[in-house]
């Protein structure tokens, strides 16, 4: 036996209102004419009857499909950046939009094909996400489709974008050290040419110089931001005659290497050496002993912001692009103490 799907007229009858009123209540329109009690009564009736709006018909009326594209380069396969997808999904769902995701591995041709495929499905806008903070150009394939950049930005600010506040996060973790009395703060970082490395390094140099200390003898740069190279770099830094009393690590993986090097040299964290880092990866920072103080990358918050900004641009196509720095809060644990 086929069950007949409830219609809008059925919802209106159950709620004791006209079909037009039921439509405006369910479609978030006519807010000035419909009281909150009436709106809630209509929604309750729709939920009880199992009514689902005809999105195709709505799209013909509003010229919107209630669908957003999410194009990422390896974001889907990056564990800690998966929170960007979750943030974008939650913001889209709360606004009544469906998020359609495509991962392109950063290939330009594949990215253009993905954008074209989404446009063929009449998506309302696109979020372009990168695996890590980058300066990019908006692909030509975007054309006139509303677009927001996530964990990326353009050099000229021509597109709305959100990236982590790398400088603010670095100042935050360094303040944990200087607040405890440290001035000789070493830095173990990578030579990789990425935005995060450049900003964190420049901010560290500035802050250590402000403490009246030459930063250069306290710097170790290695090829990649791995645990093994973090360990090797820390061995070199901590074996110097006038070693630092604290170390700022480029990321949590390198901090793992610093912990290992300190243990091999007989240095206790935080009694003999304080350590802070960046990323606050949930499988590393809280799991180290003692727990690692680290600046958190706000992936979830950035994902939410990107979708909210895209929806704003859908409502106001002439709005000026916004470049947003998302704060990187410090997750305080037990890796910092006063210098001995």
């Amino acid at each position: 036996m086929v069950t007949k799907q409830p219609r809008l007229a059925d919802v209106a009858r159950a709620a004791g209102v006209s079909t037009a009123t039921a439509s405006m209540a369910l479609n978030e329109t006519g807010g000035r004419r419909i009281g909150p009690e009436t709106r809630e009564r209509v929604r309750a009736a729709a939920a009880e009857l199992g009514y689902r709006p005809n999105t195709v018909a709505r799209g013909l009326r509003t010229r919107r499909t209630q669908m957003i594209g999410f194009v990422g380069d390896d974001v889907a396969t990056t564990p800690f950046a998966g929170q960007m997808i979750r943030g974008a999904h939650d913001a889209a769902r709360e606004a009544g939009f469906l998020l359609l995701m495509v991962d392109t591995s950063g290939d330009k041709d594949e990215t253009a094909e993905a954008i074209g495929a989404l446009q063929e499905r009449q998506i309302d806008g696109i979020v372009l996400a990168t695996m890590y903070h980058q300066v990019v150009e908006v692909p030509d394939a975007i054309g006139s489709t509303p677009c927001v950049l996530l964990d990326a930005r353009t050099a000229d600010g021509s597109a709305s974008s959100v990236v982590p506040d790398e400088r603010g996060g670095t100042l935050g973790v360094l303040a944990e050290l200087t607040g405890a009395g440290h001035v000789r703060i070493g830095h173990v970082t990578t030579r990789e040419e990425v935005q995060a490395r450049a900003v964190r390094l420049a901010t560290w140099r500035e802050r250590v110089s402000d403490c009246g200390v030459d930063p250069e003898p306290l710097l170790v740069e290695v090829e990649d931001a791995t645990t093994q190279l973090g360990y090797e770099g820390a061995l070199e830094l901590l074996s110097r005659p006038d070693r630092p009393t604290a170390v700022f690590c480029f990321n949590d993986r390198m901090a793992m290497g610093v912990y290992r090097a300190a243990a091999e040299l007989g240095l206790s964290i935080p009694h003999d050496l304080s350590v802070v880092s960046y990323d606050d990866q949930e499988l590393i920072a809280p799991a180290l002993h003692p727990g690692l103080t680290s600046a958190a990358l706000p992936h979830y918050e950035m994902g939410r912001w990107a979708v909210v900004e895209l929806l704003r641009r859908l409502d106001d196509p002439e709005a000026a692009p916004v470049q947003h720095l998302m704060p990187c809060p410090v997750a305080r644990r037990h890796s910092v103490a006063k210098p001995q």
Side-chain angles (χ1 to χ4, degrees):
M1 182 176 177
V2 178
T3 303
K4 186 178 179 181
Q5 292 292 326
R7 301 172 302 165
L8 182 61
D10 299 323
V11 175
R13 189 178 304 111
V17 299
S18 69
T19 302
T21 297
S23 176
M24 287 187 288
L26 293 172
N27 290 309
E28 301 289 348
T29 59
R32 293 182 180 177
R33 296 166 52 193
I34 301 174
E37 292 183 3
T38 300
R39 190 181 296 274
E40 186 56 37
R41 191 165 71 250
V42 171
R43 289 176 176 172
E48 183 176 347
L49 293 172
Y51 171 77
R52 296 181 67 86
N54 186 324
T55 55
V56 174
R58 178 191 291 173
L60 291 173
R61 292 194 308 271
T62 64
R63 296 186 178 181
R64 287 190 184 178
T65 60
Q66 301 297 112
M67 293 191 296
I68 294 172
F70 185 105
V71 179
D73 68 339
D74 283 330
V75 171
T77 56
T78 306
F80 58 88
Q83 285 296 315
M84 288 198 301
I85 300 171
R86 171 56 60 186
H89 170 269
D90 286 353
R93 178 179 53 80
E94 290 166 13
F97 281 71
L98 179 67
L99 192 73
L100 303 181
M101 204 193 89
V102 184
D103 194 274
T104 66
S105 301
D107 182 86
K108 289 186 177 180
D109 291 337
E110 192 173 341
T111 297
E113 290 174 6
I115 292 170
L118 290 168
Q119 290 168 332
E120 288 173 3
R121 287 158 177 79
Q122 302 298 309
I123 46 88
D124 296 319
I126 292 179
V127 172
L128 286 176
T130 60
M131 184 174 62
Y132 55 87
H133 182 178
Q134 300 178 44
V135 176
V136 301
E137 294 182 359
V138 176
D140 292 337
I142 285 290
S144 61
T145 302
C147 170
V148 172
L149 301 178
L150 171 53
D151 211 7
R153 58 184 175 84
T154 58
D156 60 2
S158 58
S160 283
S161 62
V162 57
V163 296
D165 183 1
E166 304 281 5
R167 175 176 168 79
T170 301
L171 288 173
V173 289
L174 291 178
E176 298 294 310
L177 298 176
T178 56
H182 294 276
V183 293
R184 292 189 51 76
I185 302 169
H187 187 31
V188 177
T189 188
T190 174
R191 292 193 184 95
E192 296 173 88
E193 293 297 327
V194 293
Q195 287 292 305
R197 178 256 185 190
V199 177
R200 295 174 196 178
L201 176 59
T203 306
W204 166 79
R205 278 188 168 123
E206 174 189 319
R207 192 68 190 92
V208 171
S209 297
D210 288 344
C211 292
V213 175
D214 180 6
E216 300 314 311
L218 301 173
L219 173 65
V220 169
E221 296 178 284
V222 296
E223 291 303 318
D224 297 302
T226 63
T227 299
Q228 178 61 29
L229 292 182
Y231 159 73
E232 294 174 9
L235 275 182
E236 176 189 339
L237 179 64
L238 298 177
S239 297
R240 293 174 181 174
D242 195 10
R243 69 167 180 83
T245 61
V247 175
F248 165 49
C249 306
F250 172 74
N251 65 14
D252 293 348
R253 287 180 296 165
M254 300 190 85
M256 290 177 66
V258 173
Y259 269 54
R260 177 184 163 196
E264 285 192 13
L265 294 172
L267 299 174
S268 172
I269 298 173
H271 181 73
D272 301 313
L273 180 73
S274 290
V275 182
V276 297
S277 182
Y278 222 111
D279 285 1
D280 192 35
Q281 290 192 37
E282 61 180 348
L283 297 179
I284 299 178
L288 288 171
H289 183 73
L292 175 65
T293 292
S294 185
L297 284 173
H299 290 113
Y300 180 86
E301 293 80 4
M302 291 194 299
R304 283 193 66 94
W305 188 95
V307 168
V308 170
E309 170 63 10
L310 182 59
L311 297 180
R312 184 185 75 89
R313 297 192 66 75
L314 292 179
D315 290 335
D316 185 5
E318 301 303 317
V322 176
Q323 287 74 50
H324 185 64
L325 288 176
M326 188 64 69
C328 297
V330 175
R332 295 180 180 86
R333 297 190 178 89
H334 307 289
S335 59
V336 177
K338 294 180 179 180
Q340 298 301 305

